[in-house]
């Protein structure tokens, strides 16, 4: 639950009125909100306000009003804050919340004290947030359903005018390229343009979203989407040269990446992290695989087999077994060749169960401290079943630090105590998290994620600035090492100096990057004379990234002044970091007015006029993730769980269709035809052998083992070879490819294997594909169309 959290068992403190003003400029949202709650119970309620945050959100202003009392959150340097915490009563409430609340993840929390019957508390909350890019190019803004006024059955039937009396939700949209249109899952006023060139617009909600859903606002802009720049004026009260005293620019990078690249070039580095506890009940030797054992499709060994066989020649890979300690197959990632693949496949069976600890943090630090290989995009596939030994907050801090350098695909099992951590790692790095409910699931989901991981990626990213003479850029957050398809990154820079030409008010930035062997560059011109914004949203986000940079890289003695200036500015902007900590102050309104007119120091807070209140950023350790859009993932997993319960029964097409329709009602893309149920209808003994026999380049040798796996004799296979001109390897590859294609309606695992085989066949100039296809169809008794060869 977001919003008010209660220590008592009653939850009759209702959200009565919501006033929200959102300003969205390209991919940055600035939110000012006022929430009025009322205690409808006849008993007093102990209350605490909780609001979810993430690495792209800065909560900078919070205060609450109850009667003539005001509670205001304040930031202090770490040492001062620690002294204040000792004088703050009720800190145990935060510790209780951290361990006992059912939520999981980072939140802003403030203890509000006791709310008497029929009293109201007014919450004022302001935050800044970077918005994610959607596949269709839109910026997505979300507001949690818990922070809308409650709608009873009667209120749902009333007019929108009546409902809007307690909801005032206005949205202002800005973009130098122009606002095109919006899409909101709620009734709203028509989009009203407030500038002749349509660079700004306004819209308001008429009522909260239907069925108590989260608010999802999609904003579409005009013009190219590759580059966006937002320049924010300096704070006139701050000294020039400081972050606040100079203009700051936020540049959003959204490289245009082709779907297909003729010469992929850098294929990437793929690291497979396997929890050794997964191997406890799955000890199957490689010999069992070749014999076509009737043992169930043991997930870890066969998942690794499929992943290794699906990798492209020329990429780099490594495999880590994760337990109380971790072991790597190779000291560093090796190039994918026939020799390295055979070696890795042969070593899969050497991974032994380990039911001790799970040192994920140590393994991640080892990986992150290893430089990228020749700029190859790094992608991690993490299979985990146990609760990790390390503190989850430390793991997420490490993942966040290197989020511009890699991507995580996480596969926690349904018994995994680290599911929420897995989801957070995937979200932070723009990867994917899939909960594994059966051993049949793991291979299918892992290969589907590998297909996504093999999509083209932008690398070698660089920015070049063209500014008027006298100005220079000081990078706060530099360009990332890589950007994956469908994602964006924002960088921040401080504009230093004074233009020699007072009339020069335009600058330019050029983005250069590579996709495969192709080079791209885009130039964007932007104004250096933007409109002022007293709330300084761009400066606040830039300050957050500057503080992280100082924390990670450290500061030399020459940079101490920069550190002190940054921390001092962060206190005035309300941007929390590892150098600061929060505490709230309860005071009478008259003291609040007096406080606003005079600078406050920590010693003043110890006077009788003030009452310190627990208020901090916390990491909760419950079981429900706090992210706004987590419902989608849970809905998908629920549907899959229902299919699991059906066991080995014949699939009820109507029931499956109804479940699929339910998913679509939540905007979930989910294909039940590749669910665990459908995969159980197959005999995989032959499939395992065929996959194990494929070469690294995608071909198959004509052997008795392959013929047996295909249900044929070697003599039959050799006798049906189209002609003497067709080499045995080419004929065996075409035959295995046609045989594999029969499984496409049942599983999607073989798609990458088929693609490798097709590429190899196309490279063999002497192969007559039409003759091979006709002979293969005749021998296997099937009909596969020529499209299988992409011809």
């Amino acid at each position: 639950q977001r919003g008010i959290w209660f220590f008592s068992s009653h939850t009759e403190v209702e959200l009565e009125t919501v006033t929200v003003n959102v300003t969205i400029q390209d991919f940055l949202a600035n939110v000012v909100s006022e929430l009025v709650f009322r205690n409808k119970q006849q008993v007093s309620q102990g209350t605490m306000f909780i609001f979810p945050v993430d690495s792209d959100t800065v909560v900078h202003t919070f205060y609450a009003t109850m009667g003539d009392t005001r509670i205001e959150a304040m930031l202090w340097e770490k040492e001062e804050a620690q002294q204040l915490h000792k004088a703050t009563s009720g800190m145990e409430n935060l510790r209780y919340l951290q361990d006992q609340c059912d939520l999981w993840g980072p939140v802003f929390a403030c203890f509000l004290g006791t709310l008497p019957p029929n009293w109201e508390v007014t919450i004022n909350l302001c935050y800044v947030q970077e918005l994610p890019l959607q596949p269709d190019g839109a910026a997505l803004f979300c507001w949690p359903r818990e922070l809308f006024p409650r709608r009873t059955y009667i209120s749902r039937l009333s007019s929108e005018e009546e409902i809007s009396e307690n909801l005032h939700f206005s949205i202002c949209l800005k973009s130098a390229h122009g606002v095109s249109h919006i899409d909101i899952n709620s009734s709203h006023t028509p989009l009203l343009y407030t500038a002749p060139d349509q660079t700004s617009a306004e819209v308001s909600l008429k009522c909260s979203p239907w069925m108590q859903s989260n608010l999802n606002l999609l904003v579409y802009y005009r013009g190219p989407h590759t580059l966006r720049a937002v320049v924010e004026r300096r704070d006139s009260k701050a000294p020039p040269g400081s972050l606040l005293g100079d203009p700051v620019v936020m540049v959003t990078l959204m490289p245009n990446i082709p779907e297909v690249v003729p010469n992929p070039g850098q294929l990437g580095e793929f690291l497979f992290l396997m929890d050794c506890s997964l191997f406890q009940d799955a000890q199957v030797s490689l010999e069992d695989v070749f014999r076509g054992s009737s043992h169930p499709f043991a997930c870890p060994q066969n998942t690794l087999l499929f992943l290794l066989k699906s990798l492209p020649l020329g990429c780099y890979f490594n495999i880590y077994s994760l337990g109380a300690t971790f072991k790597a197959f190779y000291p560093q990632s090796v190039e994918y060749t026939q020799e390295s693949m055979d070696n890795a496949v042969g070593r899969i069976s050497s991974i032994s169960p380990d039911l001790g600890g799970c040192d994920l943090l140590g393994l991640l630090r080892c990986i992150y401290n290893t430089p990228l290989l020749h700029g190859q995009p790094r992608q991690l596939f993490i299979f985990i079943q146990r609760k990790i030994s390390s503190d989850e907050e430390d793991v997420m801090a490490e993942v966040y630090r290197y989020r511009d350098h890699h991507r995580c695909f996480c596969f926690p099992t349904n018994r995994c105590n680290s599911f929420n951590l897995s989801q957070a790692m995937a979200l932070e790095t723009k990867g994917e998290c899939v909960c594994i409910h059966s051993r049949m699931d793991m291979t299918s989901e892992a290969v589907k994620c590998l297909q996504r991981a093999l999509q083209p990626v932008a690398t070698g990213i660089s920015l070049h600035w063209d500014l008027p003479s006298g100005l220079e850029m000081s990078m706060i957050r530099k360009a990332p090492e890589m950007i994956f398809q469908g994602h964006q990154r924002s960088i921040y820079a401080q504009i230093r100096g004074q233009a020699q030409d007072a009339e020069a008010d335009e600058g330019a930035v050029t983005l250069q990057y590579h996709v495969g062997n192709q080079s791209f560059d885009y130039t964007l011109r932007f104004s250096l004379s933007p409109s002022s914004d007293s709330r300084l949203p761009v400066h606040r986000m830039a300050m957050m990234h500057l503080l992280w940079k100082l924390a990670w890289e450290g500061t030399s003695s020459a940079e101490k002044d920069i550190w002190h200036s940054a921390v001092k500015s962060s206190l005035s902007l309300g941007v929390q970091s590892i150098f600061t900590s929060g505490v709230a102050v309860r005071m009478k309104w008259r003291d609040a007015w007096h406080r606003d007119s005079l600078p406050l120091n920590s010693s003043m807070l110890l006077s009788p006029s003030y009452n310190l209140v627990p208020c901090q950023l916390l990491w909760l350790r419950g079981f429900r993730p706090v992210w706004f859009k987590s419902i989608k993932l849970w809905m998908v997993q629920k549907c899959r769980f229902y299919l699991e319960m059906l066991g080995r029964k014949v699939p009820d097409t109507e029931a499956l269709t109804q479940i699929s329709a339910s998913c679509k009602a939540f905007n979930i893309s989910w294909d039940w035809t590749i669910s665990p149920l459908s995969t159980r209808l197959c005999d995989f003994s032959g499939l395992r052998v065929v996959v194990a026999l494929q070469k690294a380049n995608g071909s198959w040798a004509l052997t008795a083992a392959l013929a047996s796996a295909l249900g044929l004799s070697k003599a039959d296979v050799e006798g049906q070879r189209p002609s003497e001109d067709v080499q045995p390897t080419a004929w065996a590859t075409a035959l295995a490819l046609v045989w594999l294609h029969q499984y496409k309606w049942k599983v999607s695992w073989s798609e990458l294997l088929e693609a490798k085989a097709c590429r190899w066949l196309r490279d063999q100039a002497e192969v007559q594909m039409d003759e091979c296809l006709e002979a293969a169809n005749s021998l296997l008794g099937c009909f596969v169309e020529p499209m299988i060869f992409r011809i």
Side-chain angles (χ1 to χ4, degrees):
Q1 179 180 351
R2 305 171 187 89
I4 292 287
W5 186 83
F6 312 95
F7 284 107
S8 70
S9 60
H10 302 288
T11 57
E12 293 302 322
V13 176
E14 292 187 6
L15 179 56
E16 288 192 334
T17 305
V18 173
T19 303
V20 181
N21 294 300
V22 184
T23 301
I24 298 176
Q25 187 162 7
D26 288 323
F27 286 85
L28 186 66
N30 187 11
V31 182
V32 177
S33 64
E34 181 180 275
L35 314 170
V36 180
F37 295 85
R38 182 177 296 276
N39 182 11
K40 295 294 185 70
Q41 281 287 306
Q42 298 304 309
V43 294
S44 298
Q45 299 287 325
T47 58
M48 178 177 288
F49 181 81
I50 294 177
F51 188 79
V53 296
D54 56 30
S55 59
D56 295 321
T57 303
V58 173
V59 175
H60 59 83
T61 302
F62 172 85
Y63 58 90
T65 306
M66 286 189 289
D68 63 348
T69 301
R70 168 169 159 152
I71 299 174
E72 182 178 353
M74 300 179 187
L75 275 185
W76 300 92
E77 287 194 41
K78 207 76 169 183
E79 294 77 9
E80 288 184 295
Q82 290 174 352
Q83 295 300 318
L84 294 173
H85 290 164
K86 294 178 181 179
T88 303
S89 61
M91 291 297 291
E92 66 277 3
N93 291 329
L94 292 182
R95 289 188 288 270
Y96 176 86
L97 172 69
Q98 198 168 20
D99 295 325
Q100 302 300 322
C101 180
D102 64 346
L103 296 179
W104 183 95
V107 298
F108 170 83
C110 184
F111 182 65
L112 302 179
T114 301
L115 186 62
N118 205 37
W119 272 45
E120 68 180 27
V121 54
T122 301
I123 303 291
N124 292 87
L125 177 76
C126 303
Y127 65 91
V128 182
Q129 185 178 58
E130 286 184 16
L131 301 182
L133 173 71
Q134 298 303 287
D136 58 0
L140 172 64
F141 172 78
C142 295
W143 182 259
R145 64 181 181 273
E146 289 86 354
L147 295 184
F148 280 107
R150 183 180 299 178
R151 296 176 65 181
T152 64
Y153 177 75
I154 295 178
S155 69
R156 292 173 193 165
L157 300 179
S158 61
S159 66
E160 292 181 353
E161 287 73 16
E162 182 179 345
I163 296 173
S164 65
E165 289 181 359
N166 60 352
L167 175 65
H168 310 280
F169 206 112
S170 61
I171 303 163
C172 176
L173 308 173
K174 298 179 181 180
S175 176
H177 296 269
V179 178
S180 174
H181 62 283
I182 60 172
D183 186 8
I184 310 180
N185 63 336
S186 177
S187 178
H188 58 88
T189 61
L191 185 66
L192 175 64
Y193 289 103
T194 56
D197 56 359
Q198 298 186 346
T199 55
S200 63
E202 294 179 350
V203 66
S204 298
L205 299 188
K206 291 184 177 180
C207 62
S208 56
W210 185 245
M211 294 184 66
Q212 297 183 331
S213 302
N214 296 331
L215 173 70
N216 293 331
L217 165 64
L218 294 170
V219 186
Y220 298 85
Y221 300 108
R222 302 186 190 280
H225 297 296
T226 306
L227 274 176
R228 299 277 169 166
V230 177
V231 180
E232 188 172 84
R233 285 187 178 179
R234 61 181 292 269
D235 183 355
S236 59
K237 301 176 183 177
S242 65
L243 181 61
L244 284 177
D246 286 335
V248 169
V249 59
M250 167 187 171
V251 179
T252 305
L253 314 178
M254 299 168 283
N256 183 19
I257 302 176
E259 292 286 341
V260 179
V261 180
N263 298 306
Q266 294 174 323
L267 297 170
E269 179 188 16
F270 300 90
L271 306 180
F272 305 108
L273 285 58
M274 306 296 296
D275 185 345
C276 292
S277 68
L278 289 166
F279 293 77
Q280 181 182 7
D281 301 316
Q283 293 299 294
V284 181
S285 67
L286 193 61
E287 290 74 15
D288 291 331
V289 172
F290 278 96
R291 287 199 301 266
S293 170
S294 59
H295 190 282
F297 205 73
C299 64
Q301 287 94 336
N302 285 282
T303 297
L304 280 176
L305 174 66
F306 266 80
L307 288 172
L308 285 172
K309 293 289 182 175
S310 299
L311 291 174
L313 280 173
C315 73
Y316 290 80
F317 77 98
N318 206 345
I319 298 173
Y320 297 86
S321 57
L322 177 60
T325 59
F326 54 86
K327 298 178 182 177
F329 275 24
Y330 308 103
Q332 62 180 11
S333 296
V334 295
E335 185 176 356
Y336 183 76
T337 62
Q338 182 65 46
E339 182 181 359
S340 63
M341 184 201 72
D342 287 340
N343 178 272
V345 170
R347 296 175 65 177
I348 291 176
S349 58
S350 67
I351 302 178
S352 57
D354 180 351
L355 303 182
C358 186
D359 185 19
L360 179 60
L361 179 61
L363 176 52
L364 289 177
R365 284 175 173 166
C366 176
I367 292 172
Y368 294 155
N369 289 332
T370 303
L372 295 176
L373 288 170
H374 317 297
Q376 296 277 352
R378 175 176 287 169
Q379 302 189 71
L380 277 59
F381 286 67
I382 303 173
F383 300 85
I384 191 165
Q385 181 167 258
R386 291 172 292 178
K387 185 174 179 62
I388 66 167
S389 308
S390 316
D391 189 272
E392 293 176 334
E393 190 173 0
D394 293 339
V395 173
M396 283 308 303
E398 202 73 12
V399 171
Y400 177 78
R401 178 177 181 178
Y402 294 96
R403 67 173 183 167
D404 289 339
H405 302 260
H406 76 298
R407 179 163 60 171
C408 294
F409 293 92
C410 299
F411 307 90
T413 66
N414 59 333
R415 295 180 292 173
C416 180
N417 291 322
S418 298
F419 171 79
N420 292 326
L421 176 66
S422 300
Q423 186 188 16
M425 294 170 62
L427 287 172
E428 192 64 67
T429 59
K430 312 297 183 185
E432 190 170 341
C433 177
V434 182
C435 184
I436 304 302
H437 283 290
S438 75
R439 290 184 173 180
M440 307 302 293
D441 239 346
M442 182 176 284
T443 303
S444 173
E445 298 299 340
V447 172
K448 281 192 291 183
C449 286
L450 181 59
Q451 285 179 290
R452 179 181 169 192
L454 288 172
Q455 291 175 347
V457 58
T459 59
I461 299 169
S462 62
L463 292 175
H464 303 276
W465 304 90
D466 182 12
L467 300 174
S469 179
L471 296 180
E472 63 176 1
M473 284 293 183
S474 174
M475 299 302 296
I476 297 172
R477 186 189 186 193
K478 64 180 182 179
E481 298 279 350
M482 64 205 71
I483 298 180
F484 295 99
Q485 198 171 62
H487 295 292
Q488 98 275 28
R489 286 298 189 196
S490 295
I491 66 98
Y492 295 85
Q494 183 177 348
I495 306 176
R496 294 180 178 273
Q498 185 72 37
Q500 294 180 3
D501 183 356
E503 296 183 358
D505 63 349
E506 192 175 63
V509 58
T510 299
L511 167 66
Q512 295 181 339
Y513 62 95
H514 304 283
V515 180
N517 293 329
Q518 301 181 45
S519 298
F520 299 84
D521 61 88
Y522 295 90
T523 299
L524 172 70
R525 305 201 69 82
F526 55 89
S527 172
L528 293 172
S529 302
S531 58
S532 60
D533 189 334
S534 60
R535 289 181 279 181
L536 300 172
V538 178
H539 278 80
R540 293 183 196 274
M541 293 302 301
M543 176 60 69
M544 180 187 73
H545 288 290
L546 175 61
L547 293 169
W548 275 111
K549 179 182 177 182
L550 293 174
W552 294 331
E553 298 179 359
T555 52
S556 63
S557 57
E559 295 174 317
K560 285 297 182 182
D561 290 341
I562 299 176
W563 182 87
H564 284 296
S565 176
V567 172
K568 182 178 178 180
S569 297
S570 72
L571 296 177
S572 63
L573 289 174
V575 180
Q576 189 158 337
S577 69
I578 64 170
F579 307 118
T580 60
S581 186
V583 68
V585 181
R586 180 185 286 113
M587 64 191 95
K588 299 297 182 181
W589 262 107
R590 63 178 182 273
D591 296 321
W593 285 107
H594 179 67
R595 206 280 296 172
D596 290 339
S597 63
L598 294 174
L600 192 65
N601 57 58
S602 57
S603 61
M604 292 175 60
L605 295 183
L606 302 177
S607 68
S609 302
Y610 300 100
N611 183 10
L612 300 180
V613 175
C615 180
Q616 283 184 312
L617 288 177
L618 288 179
W619 189 278
L620 304 184
R621 306 188 181 104
F623 60 89
R624 275 197 303 129
V626 299
W627 288 286
F628 293 162
K629 300 194 71 179
S630 59
I631 184 173
K632 285 192 174 184
L633 184 137
W634 287 108
M635 183 65 186
V636 171
Q637 301 307 332
K638 190 174 182 181
C639 290
R640 291 182 175 175
F641 176 75
Y642 287 156
L643 287 179
E644 285 291 299
M645 298 299 291
L646 293 176
R648 297 178 178 270
K649 297 179 181 179
V650 177
D652 182 345
T653 304
E654 182 179 356
L656 291 171
T657 303
Q658 289 177 354
I659 293 176
S660 182
S662 299
C663 288
K664 290 178 180 178
F666 285 84
N667 294 321
I668 299 170
S669 174
W670 186 64
D671 183 2
W672 60 266
T673 60
I674 56 173
S675 68
L677 175 65
S678 62
T679 58
R680 285 180 176 174
L681 304 178
C682 311
D683 175 17
F684 290 101
S685 58
L687 178 61
R688 287 194 292 260
V689 178
V690 171
V691 172
L693 291 173
Q694 189 179 28
K695 302 293 185 181
N697 61 7
S699 66
W700 278 268
L702 205 167
T703 63
L706 175 64
S708 176
L710 301 179
L712 304 168
S713 68
K714 186 178 180 182
D716 289 338
V717 173
E718 291 176 336
Q720 291 295 320
R721 185 152 52 113
S723 67
E724 292 295 329
D725 295 334
V726 178
Q727 294 298 317
T729 300
W731 166 232
T733 301
L735 188 62
L737 178 59
V738 171
W739 185 89
L740 271 180
H741 198 72
Q742 298 178 89
Y743 279 90
K744 286 194 71 66
W745 71 273
K746 300 171 184 174
V747 295
S748 62
W749 309 348
S750 63
E751 191 167 317
L752 290 175
L753 306 177
E754 289 183 37
K756 288 178 69 173
C758 288
R759 285 193 296 270
W760 184 86
L761 284 171
R762 285 200 301 270
D763 291 340
Q764 313 307 306
E766 74 281 358
V767 177
Q768 300 296 321
M769 293 190 181
D770 52 348
E771 294 182 9
C772 290
L773 178 61
E774 183 178 354
N777 278 331
S778 174
L779 185 59
L780 295 173
C782 59
F783 179 72
V784 174
E785 296 182 350
M787 280 297 295
I788 186 178
F789 296 118
R790 277 79 163 172
I791 59 175

